[in-house]
Amino acid sequence: MSRSTSSEATVQLELERHPYRNAVRNGRPDTVVHVGEARIPIGGGAVAVIAGPCAVEGRDTLLATARALSGLGVRMLRGGAFKPRTSPHSFQGLGHEGLELLAEARELTGMAIVTEVLSPEEVPLVARYADVLQVGTRNMANYRLLQALGDCGRPVLLKRGMAATVEELLCAAEYVLAAGNPDVILCERGIRSFEPLVRNAFDLNVIPLLAELTHLPVIVDPSHAAGRVDLVHGVSLGAVAAGAHGLIVEVHEQPGAALVDGGQSLDLAGAARLLDGVDAVAGAIGRRLDRAAHTVAA
Ligand code: PEP
Ligand code: MN
């Protein structure tokens, strides 16, 4: 065996033993995950925006928010039907009914649906309605859930655990990849810190760092990172400038009346301003905001 062939064999062996061997960059090109019937790209040169309320609260408010966001050109709608709440006495989401409402919003607007799944048993149900299954920060290390997402037939949006290292996040992604699902989108949503003035510490480092370590797309959740609406615009633009492939951002038609996370939710005017800002920053770094034609007045 020639010297170069034997060093290639060593590299191959190292890859085969790598703890996140499917997620690791290893010279692979960026993965582009395609969402929904419209095959909306997340990854590569486009900047994707997912927007909507924290929770599905009811038909009228969900459909009004979806319609307005769609009118702004947003192509993916977020909204929790199953909500992982810190207190068991807080609103837990509408469950199955929430999924039905999300499907109705998709029917009405053509938007793809992103919603959270909390347990392995609920994966088939949520996958019947959602275009992307979200794993929240509290479940990043729920390995049975991650394995169950291996054959759900939908892309997975995997949020970083609130106290997880970058390697732990990548190993969590590896569980989904190793179980047979290649479509994983990573999400930085802030990590715990000692600072009480913000909900979490937004870790901007991980955006360029993950671009080195993995081929998977990386998006950012500025809403849960900051926990306050006045910071969402700036954090979002910083994330896009640093190379994030997209945003998942909380928007409510009436944040003051929201049942969950109103204090960190943009109103529709704020969402419109954010899209324009993201458009400008994406253009400045040679990327492009993935935005449908504006069809309906917000
Ligand atoms: C959410 O996006 O609705 C959510 C609960 O976020 P996280 O898991 O990041 O707290
Ligand atoms: Mn929320």
Side-chain angles (χ1 to χ4, degrees), residues 86-136:
T86 303
S87 166
H89 305 296
S90 301
F91 176 59
Q92 302 284 311
L94 297 178
H96 198 154
E97 185 194 344
L99 296 176
E100 298 270 3
L101 294 175
L102 287 165
E104 192 176 346
R106 173 174 49 213
E107 201 55 35
L108 186 73
T109 63
M111 296 171 93
I113 300 302
V114 181
T115 197
E116 183 160 352
V117 61
L118 295 180
S119 71
E121 299 72 36
E122 282 161 349
V123 167
L125 172 70
V126 179
R128 266 213 314 279
Y129 290 89
D131 297 293
V132 175
L133 273 64
Q134 177 176 328
V135 176

mmCIF file of all heavy atoms in Angstrom, residues 86-136:
data_model
loop_
_atom_site.group_PDB
_atom_site.id
_atom_site.type_symbol
_atom_site.label_atom_id
_atom_site.label_comp_id
_atom_site.label_asym_id
_atom_site.label_seq_id
_atom_site.Cartn_x
_atom_site.Cartn_y
_atom_site.Cartn_z
ATOM 1 N N THR A 86 -42.808 24.915 31.617
ATOM 2 C CA THR A 86 -42.067 24.720 32.863
ATOM 3 C C THR A 86 -43.012 24.321 33.992
ATOM 4 O O THR A 86 -42.699 23.431 34.792
ATOM 5 C CB THR A 86 -41.289 26.004 33.199
ATOM 6 O OG1 THR A 86 -40.437 26.298 32.088
ATOM 7 C CG2 THR A 86 -40.451 25.831 34.453
ATOM 8 N N SER A 87 -44.162 24.985 34.066
ATOM 9 C CA SER A 87 -45.150 24.612 35.087
ATOM 10 C C SER A 87 -46.239 23.745 34.465
ATOM 11 O O SER A 87 -46.771 24.081 33.399
ATOM 12 C CB SER A 87 -45.807 25.861 35.690
ATOM 13 O OG SER A 87 -46.961 25.468 36.421
ATOM 14 N N PRO A 88 -46.621 22.675 35.132
ATOM 15 C CA PRO A 88 -47.705 21.836 34.596
ATOM 16 C C PRO A 88 -49.049 22.557 34.605
ATOM 17 O O PRO A 88 -50.013 22.097 33.987
ATOM 18 C CB PRO A 88 -47.714 20.624 35.537
ATOM 19 C CG PRO A 88 -47.107 21.115 36.810
ATOM 20 C CD PRO A 88 -46.099 22.168 36.412
ATOM 21 N N HIS A 89 -49.112 23.693 35.304
ATOM 22 C CA HIS A 89 -50.376 24.437 35.361
ATOM 23 C C HIS A 89 -50.496 25.469 34.236
ATOM 24 O O HIS A 89 -51.518 26.110 34.089
ATOM 25 C CB HIS A 89 -50.508 25.118 36.730
ATOM 26 C CG HIS A 89 -50.377 24.139 37.857
ATOM 27 N ND1 HIS A 89 -51.288 23.117 38.050
ATOM 28 C CD2 HIS A 89 -49.421 23.991 38.803
ATOM 29 C CE1 HIS A 89 -50.893 22.381 39.090
ATOM 30 N NE2 HIS A 89 -49.770 22.888 39.561
ATOM 31 N N SER A 90 -49.410 25.685 33.480
ATOM 32 C CA SER A 90 -49.472 26.625 32.354
ATOM 33 C C SER A 90 -50.142 25.955 31.151
ATOM 34 O O SER A 90 -50.163 24.722 31.052
ATOM 35 C CB SER A 90 -48.059 27.056 31.964
ATOM 36 O OG SER A 90 -47.403 27.670 33.042
ATOM 37 N N PHE A 91 -50.626 26.798 30.241
ATOM 38 C CA PHE A 91 -51.283 26.325 29.011
ATOM 39 C C PHE A 91 -50.394 25.309 28.285
ATOM 40 O O PHE A 91 -49.258 25.620 27.944
ATOM 41 C CB PHE A 91 -51.559 27.538 28.118
ATOM 42 C CG PHE A 91 -52.137 27.221 26.770
ATOM 43 C CD1 PHE A 91 -53.344 26.537 26.657
ATOM 44 C CD2 PHE A 91 -51.478 27.619 25.606
ATOM 45 C CE1 PHE A 91 -53.881 26.256 25.400
ATOM 46 C CE2 PHE A 91 -52.002 27.339 24.350
ATOM 47 C CZ PHE A 91 -53.209 26.661 24.252
ATOM 48 N N GLN A 92 -50.919 24.136 28.051
ATOM 49 C CA GLN A 92 -50.124 23.039 27.488
ATOM 50 C C GLN A 92 -50.304 22.888 25.975
ATOM 51 O O GLN A 92 -49.746 21.969 25.376
ATOM 52 C CB GLN A 92 -50.508 21.713 28.168
ATOM 53 C CG GLN A 92 -50.331 21.711 29.689
ATOM 54 C CD GLN A 92 -48.862 21.586 30.110
ATOM 55 O OE1 GLN A 92 -48.157 20.717 29.615
ATOM 56 N NE2 GLN A 92 -48.403 22.458 31.001
ATOM 57 N N GLY A 93 -51.081 23.786 25.388
ATOM 58 C CA GLY A 93 -51.329 23.684 23.943
ATOM 59 C C GLY A 93 -52.641 22.974 23.662
ATOM 60 O O GLY A 93 -53.199 22.315 24.545
ATOM 61 N N LEU A 94 -53.104 23.082 22.404
ATOM 62 C CA LEU A 94 -54.399 22.502 22.045
ATOM 63 C C LEU A 94 -54.282 21.056 21.581
ATOM 64 O O LEU A 94 -55.280 20.429 21.239
ATOM 65 C CB LEU A 94 -55.068 23.350 20.947
ATOM 66 C CG LEU A 94 -55.409 24.797 21.322
ATOM 67 C CD1 LEU A 94 -56.024 25.516 20.120
ATOM 68 C CD2 LEU A 94 -56.353 24.861 22.520
ATOM 69 N N GLY A 95 -53.050 20.548 21.516
ATOM 70 C CA GLY A 95 -52.862 19.138 21.144
ATOM 71 C C GLY A 95 -53.344 18.860 19.733
ATOM 72 O O GLY A 95 -53.111 19.648 18.810
ATOM 73 N N HIS A 96 -54.087 17.752 19.588
ATOM 74 C CA HIS A 96 -54.550 17.313 18.268
ATOM 75 C C HIS A 96 -55.335 18.408 17.542
ATOM 76 O O HIS A 96 -55.167 18.637 16.340
ATOM 77 C CB HIS A 96 -55.413 16.058 18.458
ATOM 78 C CG HIS A 96 -55.592 15.286 17.200
ATOM 79 N ND1 HIS A 96 -55.841 13.952 17.168
ATOM 80 C CD2 HIS A 96 -55.582 15.664 15.891
ATOM 81 C CE1 HIS A 96 -55.965 13.534 15.919
ATOM 82 N NE2 HIS A 96 -55.813 14.567 15.123
ATOM 83 N N GLU A 97 -56.161 19.127 18.298
ATOM 84 C CA GLU A 97 -56.938 20.220 17.690
ATOM 85 C C GLU A 97 -56.003 21.296 17.116
ATOM 86 O O GLU A 97 -56.252 21.862 16.041
ATOM 87 C CB GLU A 97 -57.857 20.838 18.759
ATOM 88 C CG GLU A 97 -58.773 21.892 18.208
ATOM 89 C CD GLU A 97 -59.433 22.749 19.303
ATOM 90 O OE1 GLU A 97 -59.431 22.340 20.491
ATOM 91 O OE2 GLU A 97 -59.916 23.839 18.954
ATOM 92 N N GLY A 98 -54.912 21.540 17.818
ATOM 93 C CA GLY A 98 -53.917 22.503 17.324
ATOM 94 C C GLY A 98 -53.312 22.052 16.004
ATOM 95 O O GLY A 98 -53.075 22.864 15.093
ATOM 96 N N LEU A 99 -53.072 20.748 15.886
ATOM 97 C CA LEU A 99 -52.531 20.217 14.625
ATOM 98 C C LEU A 99 -53.530 20.415 13.479
ATOM 99 O O LEU A 99 -53.161 20.773 12.359
ATOM 100 C CB LEU A 99 -52.200 18.726 14.767
ATOM 101 C CG LEU A 99 -51.092 18.364 15.769
ATOM 102 C CD1 LEU A 99 -50.961 16.835 15.872
ATOM 103 C CD2 LEU A 99 -49.752 18.979 15.368
ATOM 104 N N GLU A 100 -54.815 20.196 13.799
ATOM 105 C CA GLU A 100 -55.864 20.388 12.779
ATOM 106 C C GLU A 100 -55.889 21.841 12.312
ATOM 107 O O GLU A 100 -56.044 22.133 11.120
ATOM 108 C CB GLU A 100 -57.250 20.035 13.357
ATOM 109 C CG GLU A 100 -57.412 18.587 13.794
ATOM 110 C CD GLU A 100 -57.932 17.703 12.657
ATOM 111 O OE1 GLU A 100 -58.103 18.216 11.541
ATOM 112 O OE2 GLU A 100 -58.130 16.490 12.904
ATOM 113 N N LEU A 101 -55.717 22.761 13.260
ATOM 114 C CA LEU A 101 -55.739 24.186 12.908
ATOM 115 C C LEU A 101 -54.517 24.551 12.058
ATOM 116 O O LEU A 101 -54.614 25.339 11.116
ATOM 117 C CB LEU A 101 -55.802 25.045 14.172
ATOM 118 C CG LEU A 101 -57.110 24.906 14.969
ATOM 119 C CD1 LEU A 101 -57.040 25.704 16.271
ATOM 120 C CD2 LEU A 101 -58.308 25.378 14.127
ATOM 121 N N LEU A 102 -53.377 23.960 12.386
ATOM 122 C CA LEU A 102 -52.177 24.215 11.575
ATOM 123 C C LEU A 102 -52.387 23.711 10.144
ATOM 124 O O LEU A 102 -52.003 24.375 9.174
ATOM 125 C CB LEU A 102 -50.953 23.547 12.217
ATOM 126 C CG LEU A 102 -50.436 24.230 13.484
ATOM 127 C CD1 LEU A 102 -49.475 23.310 14.238
ATOM 128 C CD2 LEU A 102 -49.761 25.568 13.174
ATOM 129 N N ALA A 103 -53.010 22.544 10.030
ATOM 130 C CA ALA A 103 -53.281 22.001 8.691
ATOM 131 C C ALA A 103 -54.235 22.926 7.932
ATOM 132 O O ALA A 103 -54.090 23.132 6.720
ATOM 133 C CB ALA A 103 -53.857 20.591 8.806
ATOM 134 N N GLU A 104 -55.185 23.502 8.664
ATOM 135 C CA GLU A 104 -56.106 24.440 8.016
ATOM 136 C C GLU A 104 -55.352 25.690 7.539
ATOM 137 O O GLU A 104 -55.608 26.212 6.449
ATOM 138 C CB GLU A 104 -57.228 24.823 9.003
ATOM 139 C CG GLU A 104 -58.360 25.553 8.341
ATOM 140 C CD GLU A 104 -59.518 25.859 9.283
ATOM 141 O OE1 GLU A 104 -59.579 25.280 10.402
ATOM 142 O OE2 GLU A 104 -60.358 26.700 8.895
ATOM 143 N N ALA A 105 -54.418 26.143 8.346
ATOM 144 C CA ALA A 105 -53.618 27.317 7.957
ATOM 145 C C ALA A 105 -52.786 27.005 6.716
ATOM 146 O O ALA A 105 -52.623 27.850 5.831
ATOM 147 C CB ALA A 105 -52.711 27.739 9.116
ATOM 148 N N ARG A 106 -52.288 25.782 6.619
ATOM 149 C CA ARG A 106 -51.509 25.388 5.418
ATOM 150 C C ARG A 106 -52.414 25.381 4.192
ATOM 151 O O ARG A 106 -52.050 25.873 3.124
ATOM 152 C CB ARG A 106 -50.894 24.006 5.622
ATOM 153 C CG ARG A 106 -50.225 23.458 4.357
ATOM 154 C CD ARG A 106 -49.489 22.162 4.607
ATOM 155 N NE ARG A 106 -50.312 21.236 5.329
ATOM 156 C CZ ARG A 106 -49.866 20.334 6.214
ATOM 157 N NH1 ARG A 106 -48.583 20.230 6.458
ATOM 158 N NH2 ARG A 106 -50.692 19.529 6.832
ATOM 159 N N GLU A 107 -53.613 24.832 4.399
ATOM 160 C CA GLU A 107 -54.599 24.766 3.317
ATOM 161 C C GLU A 107 -54.916 26.172 2.796
ATOM 162 O O GLU A 107 -54.970 26.428 1.595
ATOM 163 C CB GLU A 107 -55.847 24.126 3.945
ATOM 164 C CG GLU A 107 -56.849 23.487 3.051
ATOM 165 C CD GLU A 107 -56.264 22.424 2.141
ATOM 166 O OE1 GLU A 107 -55.333 21.670 2.501
ATOM 167 O OE2 GLU A 107 -56.761 22.402 1.025
ATOM 168 N N LEU A 108 -55.078 27.089 3.735
ATOM 169 C CA LEU A 108 -55.475 28.465 3.409
ATOM 170 C C LEU A 108 -54.363 29.256 2.729
ATOM 171 O O LEU A 108 -54.611 30.041 1.816
ATOM 172 C CB LEU A 108 -55.856 29.152 4.733
ATOM 173 C CG LEU A 108 -56.449 30.544 4.670
ATOM 174 C CD1 LEU A 108 -57.879 30.468 4.158
ATOM 175 C CD2 LEU A 108 -56.434 31.184 6.065
ATOM 176 N N THR A 109 -53.133 29.058 3.192
ATOM 177 C CA THR A 109 -52.042 29.949 2.754
ATOM 178 C C THR A 109 -50.987 29.243 1.899
ATOM 179 O O THR A 109 -50.183 29.930 1.266
ATOM 180 C CB THR A 109 -51.292 30.511 3.985
ATOM 181 O OG1 THR A 109 -50.692 29.406 4.686
ATOM 182 C CG2 THR A 109 -52.228 31.267 4.911
ATOM 183 N N GLY A 110 -50.955 27.935 1.945
ATOM 184 C CA GLY A 110 -49.879 27.206 1.254
ATOM 185 C C GLY A 110 -48.586 27.163 2.055
ATOM 186 O O GLY A 110 -47.583 26.615 1.596
ATOM 187 N N MET A 111 -48.603 27.729 3.271
ATOM 188 C CA MET A 111 -47.375 27.716 4.077
ATOM 189 C C MET A 111 -47.073 26.302 4.570
ATOM 190 O O MET A 111 -47.983 25.512 4.830
ATOM 191 C CB MET A 111 -47.517 28.630 5.313
ATOM 192 C CG MET A 111 -47.696 30.103 4.974
ATOM 193 S SD MET A 111 -48.116 31.065 6.445
ATOM 194 C CE MET A 111 -46.488 31.588 6.979
ATOM 195 N N ALA A 112 -45.775 26.001 4.720
ATOM 196 C CA ALA A 112 -45.371 24.734 5.341
ATOM 197 C C ALA A 112 -45.465 24.900 6.866
ATOM 198 O O ALA A 112 -45.296 26.002 7.393
ATOM 199 C CB ALA A 112 -43.951 24.386 4.934
ATOM 200 N N ILE A 113 -45.724 23.793 7.554
ATOM 201 C CA ILE A 113 -45.994 23.827 9.001
ATOM 202 C C ILE A 113 -44.815 23.241 9.785
ATOM 203 O O ILE A 113 -44.358 22.135 9.512
ATOM 204 C CB ILE A 113 -47.272 23.010 9.314
ATOM 205 C CG1 ILE A 113 -48.492 23.598 8.581
ATOM 206 C CG2 ILE A 113 -47.505 22.912 10.818
ATOM 207 C CD1 ILE A 113 -48.799 25.039 8.898
ATOM 208 N N VAL A 114 -44.380 24.009 10.793
ATOM 209 C CA VAL A 114 -43.314 23.571 11.705
ATOM 210 C C VAL A 114 -43.905 23.513 13.104
ATOM 211 O O VAL A 114 -44.394 24.526 13.612
ATOM 212 C CB VAL A 114 -42.136 24.578 11.686
ATOM 213 C CG1 VAL A 114 -41.014 24.110 12.618
ATOM 214 C CG2 VAL A 114 -41.615 24.796 10.271
ATOM 215 N N THR A 115 -43.867 22.328 13.723
ATOM 216 C CA THR A 115 -44.445 22.225 15.064
ATOM 217 C C THR A 115 -43.714 21.164 15.880
ATOM 218 O O THR A 115 -43.100 20.250 15.334
ATOM 219 C CB THR A 115 -45.977 21.977 14.980
ATOM 220 O OG1 THR A 115 -46.581 22.262 16.245
ATOM 221 C CG2 THR A 115 -46.303 20.530 14.591
ATOM 222 N N GLU A 116 -43.810 21.325 17.196
ATOM 223 C CA GLU A 116 -42.987 20.494 18.091
ATOM 224 C C GLU A 116 -43.641 19.140 18.383
ATOM 225 O O GLU A 116 -44.855 19.031 18.480
ATOM 226 C CB GLU A 116 -42.762 21.262 19.416
ATOM 227 C CG GLU A 116 -41.856 20.517 20.371
ATOM 228 C CD GLU A 116 -41.221 21.402 21.456
ATOM 229 O OE1 GLU A 116 -41.349 22.638 21.397
ATOM 230 O OE2 GLU A 116 -40.612 20.822 22.378
ATOM 231 N N VAL A 117 -42.781 18.146 18.552
ATOM 232 C CA VAL A 117 -43.228 16.830 19.008
ATOM 233 C C VAL A 117 -42.509 16.533 20.321
ATOM 234 O O VAL A 117 -41.311 16.774 20.448
ATOM 235 C CB VAL A 117 -42.978 15.749 17.925
ATOM 236 C CG1 VAL A 117 -41.507 15.604 17.569
ATOM 237 C CG2 VAL A 117 -43.547 14.401 18.363
ATOM 238 N N LEU A 118 -43.279 16.049 21.299
ATOM 239 C CA LEU A 118 -42.713 15.898 22.645
ATOM 240 C C LEU A 118 -42.302 14.475 22.988
ATOM 241 O O LEU A 118 -41.459 14.273 23.857
ATOM 242 C CB LEU A 118 -43.736 16.372 23.690
ATOM 243 C CG LEU A 118 -44.093 17.862 23.669
ATOM 244 C CD1 LEU A 118 -45.111 18.174 24.764
ATOM 245 C CD2 LEU A 118 -42.855 18.717 23.838
ATOM 246 N N SER A 119 -42.927 13.494 22.343
ATOM 247 C CA SER A 119 -42.629 12.117 22.764
ATOM 248 C C SER A 119 -42.579 11.182 21.568
ATOM 249 O O SER A 119 -43.202 11.460 20.531
ATOM 250 C CB SER A 119 -43.705 11.630 23.747
ATOM 251 O OG SER A 119 -44.902 11.433 23.041
ATOM 252 N N PRO A 120 -41.857 10.071 21.701
ATOM 253 C CA PRO A 120 -41.767 9.116 20.582
ATOM 254 C C PRO A 120 -43.149 8.632 20.141
ATOM 255 O O PRO A 120 -43.399 8.470 18.948
ATOM 256 C CB PRO A 120 -40.948 7.951 21.156
ATOM 257 C CG PRO A 120 -40.295 8.451 22.392
ATOM 258 C CD PRO A 120 -41.074 9.642 22.873
ATOM 259 N N GLU A 121 -44.059 8.438 21.102
ATOM 260 C CA GLU A 121 -45.387 7.900 20.764
ATOM 261 C C GLU A 121 -46.159 8.857 19.864
ATOM 262 O O GLU A 121 -47.023 8.447 19.092
ATOM 263 C CB GLU A 121 -46.232 7.659 22.030
ATOM 264 C CG GLU A 121 -45.662 6.669 23.026
ATOM 265 C CD GLU A 121 -44.453 7.206 23.797
ATOM 266 O OE1 GLU A 121 -44.423 8.418 24.108
ATOM 267 O OE2 GLU A 121 -43.511 6.429 24.074
ATOM 268 N N GLU A 122 -45.875 10.161 19.990
ATOM 269 C CA GLU A 122 -46.647 11.150 19.225
ATOM 270 C C GLU A 122 -46.027 11.472 17.868
ATOM 271 O O GLU A 122 -46.583 12.272 17.118
ATOM 272 C CB GLU A 122 -46.822 12.426 20.058
ATOM 273 C CG GLU A 122 -47.907 12.254 21.110
ATOM 274 C CD GLU A 122 -47.838 13.275 22.237
ATOM 275 O OE1 GLU A 122 -46.840 14.020 22.347
ATOM 276 O OE2 GLU A 122 -48.798 13.306 23.031
ATOM 277 N N VAL A 123 -44.897 10.851 17.539
ATOM 278 C CA VAL A 123 -44.234 11.162 16.263
ATOM 279 C C VAL A 123 -45.150 10.878 15.061
ATOM 280 O O VAL A 123 -45.323 11.745 14.191
ATOM 281 C CB VAL A 123 -42.879 10.430 16.135
ATOM 282 C CG1 VAL A 123 -42.352 10.484 14.705
ATOM 283 C CG2 VAL A 123 -41.864 11.030 17.102
ATOM 284 N N PRO A 124 -45.802 9.692 14.986
ATOM 285 C CA PRO A 124 -46.646 9.438 13.802
ATOM 286 C C PRO A 124 -47.785 10.446 13.672
ATOM 287 O O PRO A 124 -48.083 10.909 12.565
ATOM 288 C CB PRO A 124 -47.183 8.016 14.040
ATOM 289 C CG PRO A 124 -46.192 7.397 14.991
ATOM 290 C CD PRO A 124 -45.720 8.517 15.878
ATOM 291 N N LEU A 125 -48.397 10.811 14.788
ATOM 292 C CA LEU A 125 -49.496 11.779 14.751
ATOM 293 C C LEU A 125 -49.008 13.140 14.239
ATOM 294 O O LEU A 125 -49.578 13.718 13.311
ATOM 295 C CB LEU A 125 -50.102 11.950 16.160
ATOM 296 C CG LEU A 125 -51.132 13.073 16.282
ATOM 297 C CD1 LEU A 125 -52.415 12.728 15.535
ATOM 298 C CD2 LEU A 125 -51.433 13.396 17.754
ATOM 299 N N VAL A 126 -47.932 13.653 14.825
ATOM 300 C CA VAL A 126 -47.445 14.985 14.435
ATOM 301 C C VAL A 126 -46.961 14.961 12.989
ATOM 302 O O VAL A 126 -47.184 15.902 12.223
ATOM 303 C CB VAL A 126 -46.361 15.487 15.418
ATOM 304 C CG1 VAL A 126 -45.847 16.856 14.999
ATOM 305 C CG2 VAL A 126 -46.921 15.553 16.847
ATOM 306 N N ALA A 127 -46.340 13.849 12.580
ATOM 307 C CA ALA A 127 -45.824 13.752 11.205
ATOM 308 C C ALA A 127 -46.955 13.733 10.175
ATOM 309 O O ALA A 127 -46.745 14.077 9.014
ATOM 310 C CB ALA A 127 -44.948 12.508 11.055
ATOM 311 N N ARG A 128 -48.155 13.322 10.609
ATOM 312 C CA ARG A 128 -49.301 13.340 9.684
ATOM 313 C C ARG A 128 -49.702 14.759 9.324
ATOM 314 O O ARG A 128 -50.266 15.013 8.273
ATOM 315 C CB ARG A 128 -50.499 12.633 10.334
ATOM 316 C CG ARG A 128 -50.619 11.193 9.999
ATOM 317 C CD ARG A 128 -52.059 10.652 9.909
ATOM 318 N NE ARG A 128 -52.972 11.026 10.971
ATOM 319 C CZ ARG A 128 -53.026 10.426 12.152
ATOM 320 N NH1 ARG A 128 -52.200 9.451 12.454
ATOM 321 N NH2 ARG A 128 -53.920 10.808 13.046
ATOM 322 N N TYR A 129 -49.442 15.698 10.226
ATOM 323 C CA TYR A 129 -49.880 17.084 10.018
ATOM 324 C C TYR A 129 -48.746 18.032 9.652
ATOM 325 O O TYR A 129 -48.951 19.002 8.928
ATOM 326 C CB TYR A 129 -50.547 17.618 11.300
ATOM 327 C CG TYR A 129 -51.871 16.978 11.593
ATOM 328 C CD1 TYR A 129 -51.968 15.815 12.357
ATOM 329 C CD2 TYR A 129 -53.048 17.541 11.106
ATOM 330 C CE1 TYR A 129 -53.185 15.225 12.628
ATOM 331 C CE2 TYR A 129 -54.278 16.961 11.372
ATOM 332 C CZ TYR A 129 -54.340 15.801 12.134
ATOM 333 O OH TYR A 129 -55.555 15.230 12.397
ATOM 334 N N ALA A 130 -47.561 17.815 10.201
ATOM 335 C CA ALA A 130 -46.485 18.805 10.089
ATOM 336 C C ALA A 130 -45.598 18.538 8.876
ATOM 337 O O ALA A 130 -45.456 17.402 8.426
ATOM 338 C CB ALA A 130 -45.642 18.771 11.349
ATOM 339 N N ASP A 131 -44.978 19.605 8.391
ATOM 340 C CA ASP A 131 -43.965 19.461 7.340
ATOM 341 C C ASP A 131 -42.573 19.357 7.942
ATOM 342 O O ASP A 131 -41.666 18.825 7.299
ATOM 343 C CB ASP A 131 -44.046 20.656 6.389
ATOM 344 C CG ASP A 131 -45.384 20.700 5.671
ATOM 345 O OD1 ASP A 131 -45.640 19.799 4.860
ATOM 346 O OD2 ASP A 131 -46.199 21.605 5.959
ATOM 347 N N VAL A 132 -42.394 19.929 9.142
ATOM 348 C CA VAL A 132 -41.120 19.811 9.872
ATOM 349 C C VAL A 132 -41.459 19.498 11.320
ATOM 350 O O VAL A 132 -42.319 20.150 11.928
ATOM 351 C CB VAL A 132 -40.311 21.132 9.825
ATOM 352 C CG1 VAL A 132 -39.053 21.034 10.686
ATOM 353 C CG2 VAL A 132 -39.938 21.498 8.402
ATOM 354 N N LEU A 133 -40.792 18.493 11.901
ATOM 355 C CA LEU A 133 -41.000 18.164 13.311
ATOM 356 C C LEU A 133 -39.900 18.813 14.141
ATOM 357 O O LEU A 133 -38.713 18.599 13.895
ATOM 358 C CB LEU A 133 -40.995 16.642 13.507
ATOM 359 C CG LEU A 133 -42.368 15.983 13.307
ATOM 360 C CD1 LEU A 133 -42.845 16.137 11.878
ATOM 361 C CD2 LEU A 133 -42.333 14.521 13.699
ATOM 362 N N GLN A 134 -40.336 19.618 15.101
ATOM 363 C CA GLN A 134 -39.394 20.355 15.952
ATOM 364 C C GLN A 134 -39.133 19.576 17.236
ATOM 365 O O GLN A 134 -40.056 19.070 17.859
ATOM 366 C CB GLN A 134 -40.017 21.715 16.265
ATOM 367 C CG GLN A 134 -39.231 22.606 17.182
ATOM 368 C CD GLN A 134 -39.916 23.966 17.345
ATOM 369 O OE1 GLN A 134 -40.561 24.464 16.419
ATOM 370 N NE2 GLN A 134 -39.796 24.559 18.514
ATOM 371 N N VAL A 135 -37.849 19.493 17.583
ATOM 372 C CA VAL A 135 -37.460 18.947 18.889
ATOM 373 C C VAL A 135 -36.989 20.130 19.715
ATOM 374 O O VAL A 135 -36.060 20.842 19.329
ATOM 375 C CB VAL A 135 -36.334 17.901 18.763
ATOM 376 C CG1 VAL A 135 -35.874 17.425 20.132
ATOM 377 C CG2 VAL A 135 -36.798 16.728 17.910
ATOM 378 N N GLY A 136 -37.627 20.357 20.846
ATOM 379 C CA GLY A 136 -37.333 21.540 21.647
ATOM 380 C C GLY A 136 -36.088 21.360 22.502
ATOM 381 O O GLY A 136 -35.538 20.256 22.630
#
